[in-house]
Amino acid sequence: MSSLFVDRLLLSFNNVKHRLETLSNLCHTYRNASPVGDDNLDESDRFNGPYLSDIEELEKSIEQISVLIENLQQEQNSTADCREFLNYPLCKNGWTLKDIEQLEEEQYLNLDILNQLSLHTINEDDTQFNEQEHNYVDTNSSLTCDTNNNLLNLPPELLLHICSFISPFELLTNLAPTCQYFANFILTRVYSHLDLSKIISVFDITHLLSYLSYLRSIKFIDWENDISILTWAIWFERIARTTSDLYTIRFHNVLISPILICLIIEYFPHCLQTIIFDSQQNKTYEKFDLVLALLADNKIQLKNITASYQLGITSFGIFELVSNLNTIVELNLLYIEAFDDETIKILCDKHNKHLEILRIDGTQLSDKALEYINYCRKIRSITIEVCTNMTGSNFSIFQNFCNLKELCLSKLTIIPLESFQLLFNRKHIFEHLIVLKLDECHSIDDNCIQAIITMCPHLIDLTCSWAYNLTDDSFNVIVKQCRYLRRLSLLGCHQIFGFILKDVPEKYFHTIEYLNFEQCNQIEDHILYDLYKRKKSISIYNYYGFSIEDDE
């Protein structure tokens, strides 16, 4: 007996195997010629992958997917007489061939699933309903009032208009569980984002995913190593057959594997634009070079990648990613030390017409990297952590980004005052800049702060840490002139006394929401306590990094 669903799974698994074998061959080609193991690599080779352990990981993945293919084929080819004996669990989640075949059958949605879902996974702020994306009736048109009609009798267009006044959270928790009609209507016509955690069983999730035809983004939370490859494939197959508009996938505390990445590419090549890997808290995958190399496919539409704080990334994975993707709009690879000037050059040469957000580690970057970034004139957000090899002589390059909204530079310990003066030289106004973070900027003085405030008139978030030369003169300028500021961090500025805070928020800082004075030993706690009493909506942190609210 043959199942179309099983046939599709087998086809996908064979494609995954082929993709893994292709990368394995590539890794063998680029393998470091040194015969030493990964543990004995010299410092110069530390960022030059792929490693021998990467190839071993791929071989293990190829073996794993081969076993799964063999088991599925054996179960599918079994005769009716022995099907009862061979229909054993195919993975740790308990899937059998019978379970998979039954997925093709039409089933009613269990409304208890919606109640479970609403307890944990729905965030009202994360899900927005845009009625303009739907065609709804003109509310000014004449409608005949019939007191015998109820909501179930209304046309779908009018129901959509009514739903536009209700948050998705309320729709899911209050309206959807009332009946099958509303459950189906809301899931297929309104609901666009889903957070999935272990509060729901893998089988209920599979059934739920068959209804989310309006799904645009999904976040998998805290699954760690609980999900088998077969379950991932079934979930992705359900999503791909239900919607062709899944734009974003996010993983939070989920154990990543090469097979998982191959499945994503297999099922969402034409729609997926954003993939986010949050920093893993427990079981961290240490071969993330393979993840980047597998995502480096010029046949997919991926444009936005976040893989900051991940382990095992070398210049090989980054090179494959930036060389092979057709378009990169956003790239977040913070604390990935493998980035060097040459990689930046390749990135900017290919993606200079599209790159808008760049957040990277600058440990190996020199001033030359900024010259390459200068070609990316669409940049609106740039973060470079650990600028220890930069002199700042060409910081004026940041003035060339007309749409720059966010500029974050850290470890600016050797950058001279002249470089900051060149950047904020009173010849260029950063009209759109709302976030400015300068970390460990030892050389900045009061005059430089005055120039920053003048040239960046719309700041909402300002950080200037360990600026030893700052006094109350510059702090007073910030308080009096930053009319839109919501967040301010002055970590380690030990010459600031902060007396002007006595006039906040009555005269100044009307919009302030966050103040960080950690390691500012001249600001006395009673000033901060009095400020908190006057405006308890402000989050204030004292010298010790404690919240004033918590201390009180």
Side-chain angles (χ1 to χ4, degrees):
M1 178 180 177
S2 178
S3 164
L4 291 177
F5 196 172
V6 176
D7 289 341
R8 293 197 299 268
L9 287 175
L10 283 171
L11 177 61
S12 297
F13 289 150
N14 278 294
N15 291 340
V16 166
K17 182 180 179 181
H18 175 70
R19 197 179 298 274
L20 292 171
E21 290 172 340
T22 301
L23 179 58
S24 179
N25 293 334
L26 182 65
C27 288
H28 277 288
T29 302
Y30 282 89
R31 171 78 181 105
N32 194 316
S34 174
V36 300
D38 295 349
D39 295 334
N40 299 316
L41 288 175
D42 294 334
E43 182 66 23
S44 59
D45 294 326
R46 188 159 63 96
F47 302 125
N48 296 327
Y51 300 144
L52 177 60
S53 58
D54 294 331
I55 298 176
E56 293 172 348
E57 174 77 3
L58 284 173
E59 292 174 349
K60 198 182 306 181
S61 298
I62 293 171
E63 181 181 357
Q64 183 182 359
I65 197 70
S66 298
V67 170
L68 181 55
I69 292 172
E70 182 180 350
N71 289 342
L72 267 178
Q73 289 175 333
Q74 181 181 0
E75 186 76 359
Q76 188 182 37
N77 294 332
S78 61
T79 63
D81 294 335
C82 61
R83 174 67 65 89
E84 180 179 352
F85 301 98
L86 291 178
N87 199 12
Y88 58 89
L90 295 166
C91 67
K92 60 186 175 182
N93 296 132
W95 288 102
T96 66
L97 189 63
K98 182 179 180 181
D99 295 327
I100 298 174
E101 291 173 345
Q102 287 178 342
L103 291 175
E104 295 285 68
E105 301 175 5
E106 184 68 26
Q107 301 178 33
Y108 285 108
L109 179 66
N110 183 355
L111 298 184
D112 289 338
I113 299 176
L114 300 182
N115 292 324
Q116 296 177 48
L117 191 66
S118 63
L119 289 175
H120 183 73
T121 61
I122 305 304
N123 185 326
E124 187 170 1
D125 294 332
D126 289 342
T127 309
Q128 299 294 329
F129 173 68
N130 183 4
E131 65 165 316
Q132 293 181 353
E133 295 184 11
H134 300 276
N135 294 320
Y136 57 91
V137 298
D138 183 357
T139 55
N140 294 321
S141 62
S142 59
L143 295 174
T144 303
C145 179
D146 186 345
T147 56
N148 293 321
N149 283 341
N150 57 34
L151 283 175
L152 296 175
N153 301 126
L154 294 177
E157 294 80 7
L158 187 55
L159 269 181
L160 279 175
H161 181 71
I162 294 173
C163 288
S164 70
F165 296 96
I166 308 173
S167 73
F169 177 82
E170 293 174 319
L171 289 172
L172 190 73
T173 56
N174 297 326
L175 185 58
T178 60
C179 66
Q180 287 287 344
Y181 178 80
F182 280 132
N184 182 72
F185 181 84
I186 290 170
L187 291 176
T188 60
R189 304 288 292 273
V190 176
Y191 206 66
S192 63
H193 173 77
L194 183 64
D195 288 345
L196 279 183
S197 69
K198 290 186 286 188
I199 196 170
I200 312 176
S201 74
V202 296
F203 300 102
D204 285 339
I205 288 176
T206 305
H207 193 40
L208 175 66
L209 293 175
S210 301
Y211 287 82
L212 299 175
S213 58
Y214 191 59
L215 190 65
R216 299 295 181 267
S217 66
I218 190 167
K219 181 179 180 181
F220 298 96
I221 305 173
D222 295 333
W223 287 99
E224 297 176 346
N225 197 25
D226 301 298
I227 303 301
S228 69
I229 292 303
L230 181 58
T231 299
W232 282 119
I234 291 173
W235 284 359
F236 291 161
E237 204 274 348
R238 293 287 84 183
I239 297 173
R241 286 180 64 83
T242 304
T243 177
S244 59
D245 295 319
L246 183 70
Y247 301 139
T248 302
I249 296 179
R250 184 168 188 168
F251 296 102
H252 181 82
N253 283 341
V254 175
L255 187 61
I256 307 301
S257 71
I259 298 178
L260 173 59
I261 301 303
C262 290
L263 288 172
I264 292 173
I265 299 172
E266 178 69 19
Y267 284 106
F268 311 109
H270 303 302
C271 62
L272 187 67
Q273 298 182 11
T274 301
I275 190 164
I276 301 171
F277 303 97
D278 289 342
S279 177
Q280 306 299 294
Q281 299 177 3
N282 298 319
K283 296 181 180 180
T284 302
Y285 185 64
E286 298 182 354
K287 304 296 177 187
F288 234 83
D289 224 23
L290 301 178
V291 173
L292 297 188
L294 287 168
L295 290 174
D297 191 321
N298 59 14
K299 296 180 181 179
I300 64 177
Q301 300 300 312
L302 191 63
K303 300 177 181 178
N304 311 303
I305 307 99
T306 296
S308 297
Y309 308 99
Q310 306 300 337
L311 301 180
I313 294 179
T314 73
S315 57
F316 168 74
I318 299 175
F319 173 81
E320 288 297 309
L321 186 74
V322 302
S323 299
N324 291 299
L325 282 182
N326 293 318
T327 302
I328 295 181
V329 175
E330 178 176 356
L331 183 61
N332 298 303
L333 291 176
L334 290 173
Y335 292 95
I336 307 300
E337 297 181 14
F339 252 112
D340 56 20
D341 290 349
E342 184 60 28
T343 311
I344 290 292
K345 183 180 187 302
I346 297 171
L347 169 68
C348 297
D349 281 348
K350 182 167 184 179
H351 304 285
N352 60 80
K353 294 182 179 180
H354 308 285
L355 190 63
E356 297 180 11
I357 299 174
L358 180 63
R359 300 186 179 102
I360 55 175
D361 189 286
T363 303
Q364 295 196 82
L365 301 184
S366 69
D367 293 339
K368 196 70 176 176
L370 287 184
E371 295 180 13
Y372 300 138
I373 295 174
N374 186 38
Y375 291 103
C376 304
R377 295 301 177 87
K378 287 191 174 182
I379 287 280
R380 54 187 174 87
S381 176
I382 182 166
T383 298
I384 304 178
E385 298 281 2
V386 194
C387 305
T388 49
N389 291 322
M390 293 184 177
T391 67
S393 61
N394 56 356
F395 270 10
S396 59
I397 283 174
F398 294 119
Q399 297 178 354
N400 296 330
F401 306 128
C402 300
N403 298 315
L404 190 64
K405 293 184 177 181
E406 181 178 7
L407 175 61
C408 304
L409 305 173
S410 79
K411 298 290 183 182
L412 302 167
T413 52
I414 66 171
I415 306 298
L417 177 61
E418 292 75 21
S419 294
F420 294 109
Q421 292 172 335
L422 189 65
L423 175 57
F424 304 103
N425 58 11
R426 300 180 183 271
K427 295 180 181 180
H428 175 82
I429 297 178
F430 292 89
E431 285 285 354
H432 304 287
L433 193 67
I434 58 176
V435 177
L436 177 63
K437 297 185 178 182
L438 303 174
D439 178 54
E440 297 191 41
C441 46
H442 299 333
S443 64
I444 284 183
D445 60 10
D446 290 340
N447 290 331
C448 188
I449 289 293
Q450 175 67 70
I452 290 175
I453 302 307
T454 302
M455 297 297 102
C456 308
H458 300 112
L459 285 178
I460 292 176
D461 188 342
L462 174 62
T463 294
C464 192
S465 68
W466 302 107
Y468 303 132
N469 299 319
L470 297 191
T471 69
D472 275 324
D473 289 343
S474 55
F475 183 58
N476 293 348
V477 169
I478 295 173
V479 173
K480 292 180 178 179
Q481 297 186 21
C482 292
R483 295 183 298 163
Y484 308 105
L485 204 65
R486 298 177 189 173
R487 299 176 61 87
L488 175 65
S489 179
L490 296 174
L491 174 67
C493 299
H494 55 72
Q495 293 194 60
I496 295 176
F497 288 82
F499 298 126
I500 196 173
L501 289 174
K502 296 178 181 179
D503 293 325
V504 174
E506 289 76 13
K507 293 179 64 176
Y508 312 114
F509 262 7
H510 303 302
T511 59
I512 200 68
E513 299 172 358
Y514 173 90
L515 290 169
N516 183 6
F517 297 115
E518 189 176 350
Q519 297 297 312
C520 297
N521 58 333
Q522 301 296 345
I523 300 180
E524 298 182 4
D525 276 359
H526 73 85
I527 295 178
L528 303 182
Y529 283 128
D530 291 342
L531 173 57
Y532 174 72
K533 290 177 181 178
R534 294 193 301 273
K535 188 174 182 180
K536 291 192 174 183
S537 61
I538 306 179
S539 297
I540 308 174
Y541 294 86
N542 66 8
Y543 171 84
Y544 300 101
F546 296 143
S547 169
I548 291 299
E549 180 180 4
D550 292 339
D551 280 357
E552 190 176 45

